[in-house]
Amino acid sequence: MPEHAGAAAWLERVWYGGQGGGWLRPLGWLYRGLMALRAQAYRHHLLRSERVDIPVIVVGNLTVGGTGKTPLTAWLVARLVEQGYKPGIATRGHGRSGQGVLQVSATHLPAEVGDEPVLLARRTGVPVCVAARRLDAARQLQAIGCDVIVCDDGLQHLALGRDLEIAVVDGQRGLGNGRLLPAGPLREPRSRLATVDFVVLNGGDQAAAMTWPGALRMRLEGSVVLPLEPGTAPRSLEAFKGQRVHAVSGIGNPGRFFASLRAAGLDVVEHPFPDHHAFVAADLAFDDAEPVLMTEKDAVKCEAFADPRLWYVPVEAGFAASDAARLTASLVALFRQGERS
């Protein structure tokens, strides 16, 4: 196992399994103090939070790693388009090689702009801008004609003023041991959730729902398996039932992807990688010809070495009708408020 993978696995055990890491707690207290000072600096205008002239919606989380922010961002954008608005997506572009503000196209390489921006540009068809400062990305999107900004991540990026905040919580892992970095997975204290407009619970059972009363419940749904190699017909996930497959995942919580495949009846051989892993062909070179299934986020980085073994499972966010209506109504209300001001 690579050294970075071993360190990540150890942190997972500390953060979500409660195994050791007690010596990290003083560092967590220090981080908490620094975050409190930063919040005070914004509250007293020692640090500036600037706004653009159109509504800004921030989708984020408290924990390090993935919770389902990107599928929720795509869902929100689709609802906005349905309502007749012209949304744009602002994001940092994790791991990008370029500098400044860049509008993402569907043909950009993930190394240039980040994996999630490429995925969102392809999935949504709306303008996507990456920048180290999301404020700069938002300004660029406004300049090209967008009338609402959706930020994929950025709950802690207080330099950009926002009109609506949505925090996503992993329904299986919750907030782990509840401690701040590096003693736990939290970027901010749990109390921050009391200040957001919506908490969205991604997955989890009824016990998880009872732990988060009032949260909107989201599920990630995927039933189609798409080939990386052009010219190959898609298959249903059901078609792989009972088959042994290699499951590759370089997302924030690879276990969620593996569990979804097992729930569909597949015989899964797990190959977890760190979040945003830069795949090379050797990562997918196994000693057999069994199919290799991965997430859509991983697939955008593996197209250069596509072969008939490689498939990906795109997922979409889904809500109960009542929860979807609440979210959609909140989006429309942003524009009504702007019209009255």
Side-chain angles (χ1 to χ4, degrees), residues 14-235:
V14 171
W15 291 352
Y16 295 104
Q19 301 179 26
W23 58 273
L24 292 173
R25 292 188 189 184
L27 297 177
W29 299 333
L30 175 62
Y31 182 87
R32 179 185 292 269
L34 293 173
M35 290 298 292
L37 287 173
R38 177 173 174 268
Q40 287 287 342
Y42 275 104
R43 192 171 298 119
H44 295 290
H45 308 293
L46 299 175
L47 293 175
R48 293 182 61 192
S49 181
E50 299 183 57
R51 303 185 70 89
V52 291
D53 297 328
I54 56 178
V56 172
I57 302 162
V58 171
V59 179
N61 60 4
L62 296 193
T63 54
V64 172
T67 55
K69 299 183 300 295
T70 299
L72 177 55
T73 296
W75 186 94
L76 291 167
V77 165
R79 301 294 82 73
L80 288 162
V81 171
E82 287 175 359
Q83 296 294 321
Y85 303 116
K86 295 180 289 186
I89 299 172
T91 183
R92 182 165 64 93
H94 186 279
R96 60 177 294 216
S97 59
Q99 300 295 320
V101 183
L102 182 64
Q103 184 171 343
V104 179
S105 74
T107 58
H108 266 114
L109 296 176
E112 297 172 318
V113 297
D115 46 22
E116 287 159 347
V118 173
L119 187 161
L120 285 167
R122 295 179 180 182
R123 173 70 73 91
T124 68
V126 307
V128 178
C129 279
V130 296
R133 294 200 322 155
R134 291 170 182 84
L135 175 62
D136 296 332
R139 286 172 171 162
Q140 176 67 17
L141 289 166
Q142 181 181 357
I144 63 175
C146 295
D147 57 13
V148 57
I149 307 296
V150 182
C151 288
D152 181 31
D153 206 1
L155 198 62
Q156 291 77 34
H157 186 77
L158 301 180
L160 174 61
R162 67 281 312 267
D163 301 275
L164 187 75
E165 290 186 325
I166 303 172
V168 187
V169 175
D170 187 315
Q172 291 181 318
R173 303 199 299 181
L175 302 182
N177 61 16
R179 302 188 185 112
L180 270 70
L181 291 167
L186 297 189
R187 301 189 240 182
E188 295 184 272
R190 178 179 177 138
S191 58
R192 175 71 165 89
L193 293 177
T195 70
V196 303
D197 298 279
F198 291 102
V199 174
V200 171
L201 186 67
N202 177 19
D205 53 19
Q206 191 58 38
M210 293 176 65
T211 303
W212 299 95
L216 306 182
R217 298 197 63 183
M218 181 178 79
R219 59 195 178 278
L220 298 182
E221 303 167 331
S223 59
V224 176
V225 184
L226 301 179
L228 268 71
E229 187 172 72
T232 304
R235 298 177 64 184

